[in-house]
Amino acid sequence: MEGEDIKTKEEFFSIMADKFKLPDSNGWDSFIDWMTDLSWINEQCICFIIEDYSQFLKEDPQSKEMVTEIFEEDILPFWENEVTEVVVDGKPRKFNVYLID
């Protein structure tokens, strides 16, 4: 994902919906719900890269902070181990996030 191409949270949701084939992603709650599902993706290792991170959501620092917080507190911990506690036969996946400038 090219950071300088994403100026609003709506653009972020749209690109994430496209990249991850999310059925619905028009707000933070639905984004978290679908990113902690991903049952349609078979790969056991998922890699998410934002290039030019300093430009990512540059005009919306609150949303930029929210994205970071959601990955740190919700998505990554879920795939690291919570999936085994809340999903029947849930298995952890590697989920790597790279923020590159």
Side-chain angles (χ1 to χ4, degrees):
M1 175 180 293
E2 186 60 47
E4 69 180 313
D5 293 340
I6 302 155
K7 295 178 180 29
T8 67
K9 67 181 178 183
E10 290 78 18
E11 289 174 337
F12 173 73
F13 292 141
S14 177
I15 289 172
M16 291 301 286
D18 180 57
K19 298 285 185 193
F20 284 91
K21 308 297 183 225
L22 305 178
D24 170 34
S25 182
N26 56 11
W28 298 118
D29 290 337
S30 64
F31 174 70
I32 294 168
D33 286 347
W34 289 116
M35 290 299 290
T36 55
D37 180 343
L38 300 179
S39 56
W40 55 93
I41 297 176
N42 293 325
E43 287 79 10
Q44 293 304 304
C45 183
I46 297 171
C47 186
F48 175 60
I49 302 168
I50 301 176
E51 301 221 18
D52 293 321
Y53 184 68
S54 61
Q55 299 301 309
F56 172 70
L57 292 169
K58 187 175 181 178
E59 298 169 14
D60 188 356
Q62 184 177 6
S63 290
K64 184 174 185 172
E65 184 177 319
M66 189 70 150
V67 170
T68 303
E69 183 178 305
I70 286 170
F71 273 97
E72 287 178 347
E73 296 179 11
D74 296 300
I75 298 169
L76 297 178
F78 178 83
W79 287 113
E80 188 173 305
N81 61 22
E82 289 173 20
V83 65
T84 61
E85 300 167 11
V86 298
V87 176
V88 174
D89 295 327
K91 294 186 178 18
R93 294 186 191 195
K94 284 189 147 202
F95 200 118
N96 298 311
V97 177
Y98 299 96
L99 309 174
I100 302 171
D101 250 336

